[in-house]
Amino acid sequence: MAEAVLLSFLAPGARPLAPQVTALPPLAAYHDLRWLFAFNQPWLGFTGVLLLLVVARSAADAVMVMLAWPRGDEHNLPRPRFLASLVSCAVLTVLVGLVMSPVVTLMFGVALVPFSWPYLAAVPILLGTAVALSQGGVGQAWWRRLPPARTGAWVIATFGVLSLASGLMAHLDTAGVVAVAGLAGIVDARAWYGLTVAAVRATAERPPHPWQWRAALLRIRLALRQRTNWVPMAPLAAVMVLALVVGLTRLAFTGTVRFAPGPGGVAADAATGENLVAPGGGAAASSAKAFTGPARASGAVLVVEGFGSTCCHGARALRAAEPHLLVRQFSYLGLDAAGQPVPYSLAGNLSIQVLGDRMAAQVEELYRLTGTPVDIVAESEGTLGLYAMLARHPNVPVRSVVLLSPIVQPGQLGQAGGTVPGAALTTLNNLVGGMSPYGRSGAQALISSVSEVGASYFAAVSRDRGVPWLAVVPLADAVTLPACPWPQNMIFIDAFHGGLLGDPSVQRVVEAFLASGSPSDRDLDELAGGSQRDLRSAAQLIAAAAAAWRMPDLHPACPGS
C-alpha cells in the first residue's frame, strides 16, 4: 500500500507493480530487477543499487520466512535463525537475478520496441523459473531438491492474483488502487504461509517403511542421495526452462516449429526467409481477388512491410484490386536510378532515421508520378519508419495512413546506449540474431535508434491530427498497449503480431478505408469474427493485466486522455 501511494504521485503508470513488493521470493525479485533496469544506469550506479537491492530483498525474505514458519512440533523442524535464513535467501536472490535477467532484458526490449512476441516468450520463462525456485530460502539445502507441487501452485496462484489486481487498478482512482494493493498484500501473506508450510513439510517428510522391501528401497534412496546431494536440482530446473525457450526459438527460426501469427499466416514464414509473396504463390497472390470495395479513380499507395520481409511482390493483392491506382511496395534498400524499388530477399537492419528518409524519398517519387498525395499501408517495423518520416519530413505529400500491427509508444525508457540494460539487450540481440537468418547483429541498429528518437517521433506524430489514419491491432499485441482509452479508429483482430497483410479480411478493411475513409460495419464484423466491442473489451482487460509484468511506466498515466 505504501508503494502504491508513492507511485500514485511519482509514476502512476507503474502502480500495478506495487503489490509485488511483498510477493513470494521469485516474483518479488522480478519486481526489484525491473525497477533496477527501469532507470537505465551505467555500470557504477547499477552495481551499487544492485547490491543494496540484494541485501534488502534477502533481509525482507528472511523475515517473511521466519514469520511464516509453522508453529509447534508437527514437522519437527525448528525455526531457523535470522542469519542462517538471511544467507539462504541471499543465495536465492542472486540465483533468481541471474536466471531472470534474460526475462527482464526481454521486457526492457519490449519497452523500447513494443510488440508482443518478446513478451509472450518472457512470461513462460518467468513462470517456469518462479516455479522451479518456489521453495528457495525455506528449509535446509533447498537447492538440492525439486520443489513440491504445492509451492509451485502457490506461485502460479499468486501470479494470477497479481495480474487480476493490475487489471482492477486500471479502472480505479488512487484510493481504489491503494485498497486493491492492500488486498493483494493479504493474498501475498497467505501465500507466504502456504508456501512455507509446504516447503517445510516436504523437507521433514520421511517415507514409512514397515516392510523389509520398503526399508531396502529407503536404503537405496539414501545411498543415491548421498552420492548426488551436491547436485543443484532447483537451479538446474530453472536453467532448463530458459534452455527450452531458447531451443524453441531456434526451431522457430529454422521452420521446424511454427507459431501461427494470425489468420494470414505470413509472419512465421517470413521469419524463415521464405518469399511468400513471390509470383505464382504465397498469401498475397492467393488472396489477390479478396478486395471487393469501391475503387478510387486515381492515386498512389505505398505498401511498407515489416522486419524480415522480401521485396517487391507484397503489394500484388492491392494492385490487382485497384488497377487504377499506382501501388508499389516500399524497398528497405531504396530506389534504383530508374526510380524503381530495389529488390531484396530479407529486410535488413536499419535505423529508423534512415528508414524514414528512404520512405519519404519513395513517397515523393510516387507523388511525382501521379500528382496526388500518397496513401501508406505500413506493418510492424514499417510503422516505425512511418513515424520517422512524418516527424523528419512534415511536408511529405501523404493522404492517409493504415497501420497494421503498429508499434505503439516506442522508446519508453529512453537512451539505452552506454547503460547496463542496454548492454544486456545488445548481448541478447546478438544471441537471437546468431540463431536467426538476420545475422549476429539482429536488429541492433533499429533498437538503438528507437531508444534514441523513437519516443520523440511517436509523440510528434501523435500530436499531428491532420492525416486520416486507421490502425488494425492484433489482440496478442494488447499485452504491450497502455491501459488507457483508445481512439475508435483503432480496431482489433483476433491474431498474433505480423502477417496481417496476407489476411483477406484485413485486406478488405484496408481497401475500404483507402476508398472511402471508413471501413463498413460488415467489413469490421468479418474482421473481428464477431463483435468489435467484445474484442476491444478483451484487449483492454489483457492490457491492464499485462501491465503487472511489463517494465514500470515512468511517464504520466494516459496523457491527454
Side-chain angles (χ1 to χ4, degrees):
M1 292 174 73
E3 183 171 336
V5 171
L6 187 64
L7 292 178
S8 294
F9 292 98
L10 299 180
R15 291 183 297 186
L17 275 69
Q20 300 167 28
V21 71
T22 55
L24 298 177
L27 300 180
Y30 179 63
H31 162 276
D32 300 344
L33 283 173
R34 280 178 293 160
W35 279 115
L36 179 64
F37 269 57
F39 292 102
N40 219 353
Q41 302 174 86
W43 281 101
L44 182 60
F46 184 93
T47 304
V49 176
L50 175 61
L51 292 175
L52 289 176
L53 283 177
V54 168
V55 173
R57 176 55 57 191
S58 302
D61 287 348
V63 171
M64 296 287 192
V65 168
M66 296 179 68
L67 291 174
W69 198 269
R71 293 170 174 78
D73 297 329
E74 177 186 355
H75 305 295
N76 198 29
L77 284 179
R79 188 173 69 172
R81 295 184 177 182
F82 176 76
L83 184 59
S85 185
L86 177 66
V87 172
S88 178
C89 291
V91 172
L92 172 67
T93 303
V94 172
L95 179 60
V96 171
L98 290 174
V99 180
M100 282 199 180
S101 57
V103 180
V104 182
T105 303
L106 278 172
M107 291 301 185
F108 182 80
V110 169
L112 293 180
V113 186
F115 69 109
S116 56
W117 286 113
Y119 185 99
L120 298 177
V123 169
I125 303 176
L126 166 64
L127 268 179
T129 301
V131 169
L133 300 176
S134 57
Q135 67 173 353
V138 182
Q140 300 174 349
W142 56 265
W143 52 272
R144 294 203 304 248
R145 301 183 304 274
L146 292 176
R150 289 186 63 190
T151 61
W154 278 111
V155 167
I156 294 174
T158 303
F159 178 89
V161 170
L162 294 175
S163 300
L164 177 61
S166 177
L168 292 175
M169 287 180 174
H171 305 285
L172 300 174
D173 57 11
T174 298
V177 167
V178 175
V180 168
L183 293 174
I186 294 175
V187 174
D188 287 339
R190 179 64 186 89
W192 266 103
Y193 278 107
L195 181 140
T196 305
V197 169
V200 170
R201 181 178 298 167
T203 302
E205 282 181 347
R206 293 293 183 270
H209 46 90
W211 296 294
Q212 185 176 4
W213 65 272
R214 287 194 173 182
L217 287 177
L218 177 60
R219 286 195 295 270
I220 295 173
R221 180 180 175 184
L222 292 176
L224 290 175
R225 180 180 296 178
Q226 290 173 358
R227 292 178 179 271
T228 60
N229 60 5
W230 55 270
V231 178
M233 298 301 296
L236 280 178
V239 172
M240 287 302 297
V241 173
L242 180 61
L244 177 62
V245 175
V246 172
L248 287 175
T249 302
R250 175 59 180 165
L251 293 175
F253 279 130
T254 60
T256 306
V257 173
R258 300 192 179 190
F259 304 98
V266 174
D269 291 314
T272 66
E274 298 179 17
N275 187 356
L276 293 185
V277 292
S286 65
S287 58
K289 298 181 180 180
F291 294 102
T292 58
R296 267 206 354 248
S298 63
V301 180
L302 183 66
V303 177
V304 188
E305 293 198 348
F307 192 86
S309 60
T310 59
C311 187
C312 296
H313 303 290
R316 286 167 58 102
L318 184 56
R319 188 182 298 118
E322 295 284 5
H324 302 292
L325 293 179
L326 176 58
V327 181
R328 282 188 179 173
Q329 183 180 347
F330 170 76
S331 172
Y332 280 74
L333 297 184
L335 301 175
D336 59 20
Q340 298 293 319
V342 179
Y344 53 84
S345 59
L346 203 63
N349 178 28
L350 296 176
S351 68
I352 60 173
Q353 295 95 323
V354 172
L355 200 55
D357 293 344
R358 290 182 179 176
M359 193 178 297
Q362 295 180 48
V363 169
E364 293 285 0
E365 176 65 15
L366 288 176
Y367 178 71
R368 184 187 67 81
L369 294 173
T370 62
T372 60
V374 178
D375 296 296
I376 300 177
V377 179
E379 183 166 33
S380 190
E381 183 191 0
T383 64
L384 292 173
L386 178 63
Y387 306 152
M389 181 192 70
L390 294 176
R392 293 168 65 86
H393 305 273
N395 297 320
V396 67
V398 174
R399 176 179 177 268
S400 66
V401 297
V402 178
L403 311 174
L404 306 179
S405 298
I407 306 296
V408 180
Q409 289 190 341
Q412 295 170 18
L413 296 177
Q415 174 61 258
T419 66
V420 176
L425 185 59
T426 298
T427 302
L428 185 62
N429 173 74
N430 293 341
L431 173 64
V432 176
M435 296 188 296
S436 74
Y438 311 119
R440 187 175 182 274
S441 61
Q444 187 57 48
L446 175 67
I447 294 171
S448 299
S449 62
V450 171
S451 74
E452 294 172 4
V453 295
S456 61
Y457 287 173
F458 182 81
V461 172
S462 300
R463 290 192 297 266
D464 183 5
R465 310 294 184 183
V467 178
W469 62 274
L470 176 72
V472 182
V473 183
L475 189 59
D477 276 357
V479 298
T480 68
L481 293 179
C484 298
W486 301 319
Q488 290 302 311
N489 47 347
M490 188 171 176
I491 60 178
F492 291 86
I493 179 173
D494 187 9
F496 289 99
H497 181 89
L500 299 189
L501 277 169
D503 181 70
S505 60
V506 174
Q507 292 169 352
R508 280 188 285 274
V509 168
V510 170
E511 196 272 339
F513 175 79
L514 296 180
S516 62
S518 176
S520 67
D521 292 338
R522 176 182 175 185
D523 290 329
L524 290 179
D525 288 342
E526 182 180 350
L527 175 70
S531 169
Q532 186 63 220
R533 178 182 298 178
D534 292 342
L535 274 180
R536 178 175 288 263
S537 299
Q540 290 174 340
L541 177 61
I542 292 171
W549 312 109
R550 298 197 298 257
M551 293 297 295
D553 186 358
L554 303 180
H555 301 90
C558 305
S561 62

